[in-house]
Amino acid sequence: SITYHQVHIFPIGSDGARIINVSSTGHKKGKINFSDLNSEEKFDGWEAYNQSKLANVLFTKKLARELEGGIIE
């Protein structure tokens, strides 16, 4: 997965370039626990998994908005 900062460091030179992020339906059950992002206070494997999938989806949507109108579709 390419991060927002890497897009600016490594320019993509071909028209129609794409960034693909693979996730799962786990994002639908995910909740971002901003007070304990690393699950240090309480760890549950499925909650952590679902939170990470939701974070991936939210990041991808934000990245798409930031890159809209550029060469990446």
Side-chain angles (χ1 to χ4, degrees):
S1 149
I2 195 165
T3 68
Y4 177 75
H5 296 292
Q6 287 173 322
V7 169
H8 296 288
I9 294 170
F10 303 110
I12 299 173
S14 62
D15 289 338
R18 295 174 188 258
I19 296 174
I20 299 172
N21 189 340
V22 179
S23 189
S24 75
T25 58
H27 75 280
K28 293 179 181 181
K29 294 182 180 180
K31 294 181 179 127
I32 304 292
N33 183 354
F34 290 101
S35 63
D36 187 23
L37 285 175
N38 293 323
S39 302
E40 294 173 359
E41 295 173 16
K42 176 188 157 220
F43 180 79
D44 176 278
W46 282 114
E47 285 180 17
Y49 176 82
N50 293 336
Q51 176 175 280
S52 73
K53 297 300 123 187
L54 177 57
N56 282 342
V57 169
L58 294 173
F59 171 78
T60 301
K61 287 180 168 279
K62 170 68 172 164
L63 183 62
R65 283 193 307 270
E66 293 290 327
L67 299 175
E68 192 171 4
I71 63 169
I72 298 177
E73 296 178 14

